Amino acid sequence: GQNIDQPTEMTATEGAIVQINCTYQTSGFNGLFWYQQHAGEAPTFLSYNVLDGLEEKGRFSSFLSRSKGYSYLLLKELQMKDSASYLCAPMDSNYQLIWGAGTKLIIKP
Amino acid sequence: GAVVSQHPSWVICKSGTSVKIECRSLDFQATTMFWYRQFPKQSLMLMATSNEGSKATYEQGVEKDKFLINHASLTLSTLTVTSAHPEDSSFYICSAAEPGQGAGEQYFGPGTRLTVT
């Protein structure tokens, strides 16, 4: 079956760094996406990894290891507005995104 | 980035009535749009893939006669929840991908919160 495993909730301090891990099992693989979703709002696209390695985009970076079925999202210089849920979404062989429940990130001053 | 709008943003209706939700791509043409439903603290659930000019493709377990999808133009898809019941209360979100971008980098509408009383 298809499965995504992320921590349910994480807490971090403003200005710090946090890493949100994601392990996945899918039928085929066509890349992995990270989305941010604030409470009561729709998701917004953050990053896409299809090859192994680290992709950096400003304060956010995303890493992928296809052989391990593992990805992480790294957030630096945390700001209060980063409080949100972060969704790891791999794409299967049918080019369909597989959604998990996400990780709720709480930023404290 | 591409912009997707959704209307209404929230709606309250009585049990047994029907509700129509519109999804529009404002600055690009979307041959494919996606409709999701999300219950509190749960993951997004894909309901159907809406294809312009053809019938929608529904996911397993989604009643196509209850959730009517129409994709009449390259910028508009509609979802009609027919004979709504309280268990249909949820957050409905549409999304679209820009042509050539594939189905992964989706741009989401702001969502419609439906409450059925």
Side-chain angles (χ1 to χ4, degrees):
Chain A
Q2 310 205 93
N3 185 60
I4 297 170
D5 192 21
Q6 290 180 247
T8 304
E9 187 173 298
M10 298 180 70
T11 302
T13 305
E14 190 176 15
I17 299 173
V18 71
Q19 178 174 311
I20 302 174
N21 296 322
C22 169
T23 57
Y24 63 88
Q25 288 180 310
T26 56
S27 300
F29 182 75
N30 281 297
L32 185 142
F33 295 78
W34 282 94
Y35 281 82
Q36 180 191 59
Q37 185 176 23
H38 284 99
E41 299 181 10
T44 55
F45 170 79
L46 288 178
S47 68
Y48 172 58
N49 294 65
V50 65
L51 299 176
D52 290 349
L54 187 68
E55 293 278 346
E56 297 186 75
K57 190 185 290 186
R59 294 189 298 114
F60 294 3
S61 302
S62 56
F63 172 84
L64 175 68
S65 169
R66 289 171 295 172
S67 63
K68 295 181 179 179
Y70 168 69
S71 174
Y72 68 71
L73 181 69
L74 189 71
L75 293 78
K76 302 177 184 177
E77 301 170 19
L78 287 171
Q79 302 174 10
M80 297 302 292
K81 67 178 182 180
D82 297 330
S83 292
S85 288
Y86 291 86
L87 312 177
C88 163
M91 180 179 282
D92 68 11
S93 58
N94 293 319
Y95 295 93
Q96 185 155 308
L97 288 178
I98 310 301
W99 298 92
T103 297
K104 182 179 180 181
L105 178 63
I106 300 169
I107 309 297
K108 294 186 175 180
Chain B
V3 179
V4 175
S5 72
Q6 218 172 310
H7 177 81
S9 55
W10 61 270
V11 58
I12 301 173
C13 71
K14 291 186 177 181
S15 185
T17 60
S18 295
V19 173
K20 179 186 283 189
I21 302 170
E22 292 186 350
C23 178
R24 295 181 185 271
S25 56
L26 297 185
D27 51 2
F28 67 100
Q29 294 183 328
T31 54
T32 302
M33 290 184 174
F34 305 88
W35 286 97
Y36 293 87
R37 180 167 55 180
Q38 187 177 34
F39 293 105
K41 298 184 180 181
Q42 295 189 22
S43 63
L44 288 168
M45 187 193 82
L46 179 65
M47 299 176 67
T49 302
S50 169
N51 302 296
E52 187 269 337
S54 65
K55 291 183 179 180
T57 302
Y58 289 82
E59 295 301 303
Q60 192 172 9
V62 178
E63 299 174 60
K64 62 180 180 180
D65 293 330
K66 180 173 180 62
F67 299 99
L68 302 178
I69 291 173
N70 183 275
H71 197 150
S73 75
L74 287 171
T75 58
L76 173 64
S77 176
T78 61
L79 167 68
T80 301
V81 183
T82 63
S83 186
H85 291 286
E87 56 265 31
D88 297 324
S89 298
S90 185
F91 192 42
Y92 291 86
I93 311 171
C94 73
S95 71
E98 285 192 273
Q101 292 286 355
E105 189 173 338
Q106 297 178 27
Y107 295 93
F108 286 84
T112 297
R113 190 161 300 282
L114 170 64
T115 302
V116 184
T117 61

